[in-house]
Amino acid sequence: MLHQNLTQKQQLKINPQQLQMLELFHLTTLQLEQRIIHELEENPIIEEKTDNDDTAATTSKDDVQEYQDWDEYGYDDVPDYKTENKHYYQQDDMPDKPIIARRDFREDLKEQLSAIKMSEAEATFAHFIIDNLNEKGFLETSLDTLADDYSLKTMSWIEADDADKILKNIQHLEPAGVGSRTLQECMMLQLRRMNTKRPDVKAAIRILEDFYTDLKGRNFEKIEEALGIDEEELRMVLELMANLNLNPIGTTEEKTNVESIIPDFIVTHRDDGVEVCLANQRSSNLFINNRMKSMVKDAEKGKDQRTFQYLKSKLNSAEWFVNAIRQREGTMLNVINAIVQYQYDYFLEGDKSLLRPMILKNIAERVGVDISTVSRITCNKYVQTPFGTILLKDIFSEGIENKQGAIVSNKVIQKEIEEVIKTEDKKTPYSDQQLAAVLATKGFNIARRTVTKYREHLQIPVAQMRAFWA
């Protein structure tokens, strides 16, 4: 028998327009530019105001005077090469150095990936992962987060098993270690490409798999006993591990002079403080074509309902898109203003030691938006400041209490760890326990395991490996 039951339940659903708005928040300046170009091509109702629109209707005095005094200039004896050169080089100094074209390592990875057999959806997600690698070739964002962001962007779901399989394909590309998530995984990927029948390679893999914690704690006696090797054999294995490349792509210092980052925000210093603005504000140039808008009204009065429905959908889409761009820029300005006010001393001086502990929740409460909105707006966004271009996510940090009871950003602790390691005796470097003791003398009481976590985040190897490099 069939039964009918009436039930009431509450559900929270996100409509498609909200999803598209969240996607717009996530886009960088370059990605937004491509999205706007796509909308302008697809929707005839949206138009963009250009600089030529203001000057096309008027004729300048220079244009009128173009052919006056021709006799004076037409037959002068200035060599042609001088006038020709001025068309190409407006500055006085000629370029004295050839411009070297360099390819981004991500393009090389995508070319290598084309040789691997996979579906179009898998290849698209693989490109998405490659684009999220940092400058050293590491994947700092978790696969779950990447899968969620990809699903939100493309409106298609990717399973966790498929994401892990695609990442493994990327990790098989050259150079060895690219796509690794941790220093341990980076070393493992390189060792597995060697002759795994070699005793030192086999022992190194075993140490990383089963005794990585003991290796970080310098518990060498336990490793020797478990592997059945003596001190000299362990030293050979550690020498092999010390020669592994901990930076698959190479040093970022080589790239800073040739790579350019398009900032999303610009912070400038004024006499009365700090001024914040968007690097490229597009909403003021986008508008609805009034002629096309009137066509929609005329089509509504006509008999062709298909034409009316088409134009009406395009008009609604155009109005939503223009308003969405304005809302995006307004929210971005509110967020960056809140961040600059929260970290005012840092943006004024540029000193990392002035960074205050700041999490997404602090900014979300100030702006009055959801934490996820702040996360998407700050993701992969850069700020151009008088002291350099910085990644916005790098400003966020947890807080740690020092001896004086003040809450200090963990970025300050990480900077102190880097400074201590730079000044240590290279032949007898500090262990993590010793680093914790040195930091305690500077007023930072943190546990050894916290020092280990920050050292690994900075991708600094353990003391034993640093000693081999000395």
Side-chain angles (χ1 to χ4, degrees):
M1 295 179 63
L2 296 176
H3 297 281
Q4 289 183 342
N5 294 320
L6 294 176
T7 58
Q8 288 184 343
K9 61 180 180 179
Q10 290 183 338
Q11 285 185 330
L12 182 62
K13 292 186 177 181
I14 302 178
N15 61 44
Q17 288 189 340
Q18 288 176 317
L19 286 173
Q20 291 177 24
M21 176 62 73
L22 291 175
E23 182 192 345
L24 283 178
F25 285 157
H26 193 272
L27 298 179
T28 62
T29 300
L30 190 59
Q31 291 170 337
L32 179 67
E33 190 69 28
Q34 294 171 347
R35 175 68 186 274
I36 290 175
I37 292 172
H38 175 74
E39 288 291 332
L40 290 170
E41 292 174 350
E42 293 292 324
N43 197 333
I45 298 182
I46 303 178
E47 287 197 359
E48 182 179 17
K49 181 180 179 182
T50 60
D51 295 336
N52 296 331
D53 295 340
D54 298 331
T55 59
T58 60
T59 305
S60 65
K61 293 182 179 179
D62 294 337
D63 294 335
V64 176
Q65 301 290 335
E66 184 176 359
Y67 296 105
Q68 284 191 7
D69 301 326
W70 171 251
D71 293 336
E72 180 181 349
Y73 296 103
Y75 302 101
D76 63 357
D77 55 354
V78 178
D80 290 342
Y81 71 89
K82 289 189 177 181
T83 56
E84 288 175 1
N85 178 66
K86 288 182 180 179
H87 289 293
Y88 298 98
Y89 298 103
Q90 301 299 326
Q91 67 274 18
D92 296 333
D93 297 330
M94 293 279 289
D96 57 353
K97 203 180 275 189
I99 300 174
I100 302 173
R102 301 207 180 193
R103 291 191 61 185
D104 185 29
F105 74 92
R106 297 176 183 86
E107 296 300 322
D108 293 331
L109 292 177
K110 290 175 183 177
E111 281 191 5
Q112 296 178 51
L113 197 69
S114 61
I116 300 177
K117 186 177 181 181
M118 56 175 61
S119 66
E120 184 178 350
E122 291 174 339
T124 305
F125 183 64
H127 287 192
F128 186 74
I129 293 176
I130 291 173
D131 289 335
N132 278 274
L133 298 178
N134 66 14
E135 297 306 319
K136 295 182 179 179
F138 284 89
L139 183 63
E140 294 180 334
T141 310
S142 67
L143 265 185
D144 292 338
T145 304
L146 279 180
D148 291 342
D149 290 343
Y150 175 80
S151 301
L152 184 65
K153 184 177 181 180
T154 61
M155 305 298 176
S156 60
W157 182 255
I158 180 108
E159 297 292 340
D161 293 340
D162 295 334
D164 190 62
K165 175 186 172 184
I166 293 168
L167 178 60
K168 282 184 169 57
N169 285 332
I170 294 173
Q171 291 175 346
H172 282 93
L173 304 177
E174 294 292 340
V178 71
S180 51
R181 289 159 287 189
T182 62
L183 200 60
Q184 178 186 9
E185 189 175 28
C186 178
M187 298 169 72
M188 285 287 294
L189 290 173
Q190 295 175 65
L191 288 170
R192 292 192 183 281
R193 296 197 187 186
M194 299 180 183
N195 184 2
T196 54
K197 293 182 180 180
R198 281 172 44 185
D200 55 345
V201 176
K202 189 182 296 185
I205 293 175
R206 178 84 188 282
I207 290 172
L208 288 175
E209 284 181 340
D210 302 331
F211 303 101
Y212 188 63
T213 305
D214 296 311
L215 177 65
K216 293 190 293 183
R218 300 169 63 90
N219 194 355
F220 300 130
E221 292 181 0
K222 180 179 178 180
I223 296 174
E224 291 170 5
E225 183 180 352
L227 299 181
I229 57 178
D230 56 25
E231 185 178 347
E232 184 62 29
E233 289 173 326
L234 179 60
R235 182 177 179 83
M236 292 173 61
V237 174
L238 292 178
E239 283 180 357
L240 169 67
M241 297 171 69
N243 289 325
L244 295 175
N245 187 8
L246 303 183
N247 188 356
I249 302 304
T251 58
T252 54
E253 295 175 1
E254 299 172 357
K255 301 174 181 287
T256 52
N257 294 330
V258 295
E259 290 187 355
S260 58
I261 295 173
I262 300 175
D264 302 272
F265 309 97
I266 297 176
V267 174
T268 53
H269 290 171
R270 300 295 183 192
D271 295 336
D272 56 346
V274 177
E275 183 180 359
V276 184
C277 65
L278 294 175
N280 188 14
Q281 192 165 358
R282 296 304 311 275
S283 61
S284 58
N285 294 334
L286 298 176
F287 63 95
I288 306 298
N289 188 316
N290 290 327
R291 184 175 60 84
M292 297 292 293
K293 198 172 182 178
S294 61
M295 285 179 61
V296 178
K297 293 181 180 179
D298 294 339
E300 186 177 8
K301 300 174 183 177
K303 297 181 179 180
D304 193 347
Q305 288 298 314
R306 293 181 62 182
T307 303
F308 168 69
Q309 290 297 333
Y310 172 78
L311 292 174
K312 182 68 174 177
S313 65
K314 288 295 183 182
L315 177 61
N316 291 338
S317 176
E319 289 176 340
W320 177 87
F321 185 76
V322 173
N323 291 331
I325 296 296
R326 289 172 184 162
Q327 184 179 342
R328 175 186 186 269
E329 292 178 349
T331 308
M332 287 177 68
L333 275 173
N334 291 336
V335 169
I336 190 61
N337 275 306
I339 291 173
V340 171
Q341 290 172 8
Y342 201 96
Q343 302 286 3
Y344 186 80
D345 293 336
Y346 168 71
F347 281 101
L348 203 59
E349 302 293 336
D351 186 357
K352 281 190 177 181
S353 61
L354 298 175
L355 276 174
R356 296 172 55 194
M358 180 179 70
I359 57 177
L360 296 174
K361 184 180 179 182
N362 300 137
I363 304 303
E365 289 175 349
R366 286 195 171 208
V367 181
V369 296
D370 193 76
I371 294 177
S372 62
T373 301
V374 179
S375 176
R376 286 181 171 85
I377 285 178
T378 56
C379 182
N380 296 326
K381 305 292 194 306
Y382 287 86
V383 186
Q384 181 179 311
T385 67
F387 46 86
T389 303
I390 56 176
L391 183 64
L392 204 54
K393 280 285 188 182
D394 290 342
I395 305 176
F396 290 86
S397 61
E398 299 285 346
I400 294 177
E401 186 176 352
N402 61 10
K403 280 186 177 180
Q404 288 74 31
I407 303 298
V408 182
S409 168
N410 59 18
K411 298 289 184 182
V412 177
I413 310 291
Q414 294 174 21
K415 184 181 177 182
E416 288 292 337
I417 292 174
E418 284 185 308
E419 294 297 326
V420 171
I421 291 177
K422 281 180 183 178
T423 58
E424 70 183 358
D425 186 353
K426 303 305 178 185
K427 294 184 179 179
T428 57
Y430 292 126
S431 65
D432 291 344
Q433 187 64 49
Q434 291 171 327
L435 285 172
V438 173
L439 290 173
T441 62
K442 295 177 177 287
F444 305 110
N445 287 325
I446 57 176
R448 179 198 59 79
R449 61 180 178 274
T450 307
V451 174
T452 303
K453 182 178 75 172
Y454 290 160
R455 178 181 55 74
E456 289 180 346
H457 177 75
L458 295 168
Q459 297 177 357
I460 299 174
V462 294
Q464 185 72 16
M465 293 185 184
R466 299 203 302 273
F468 282 126
W469 291 350

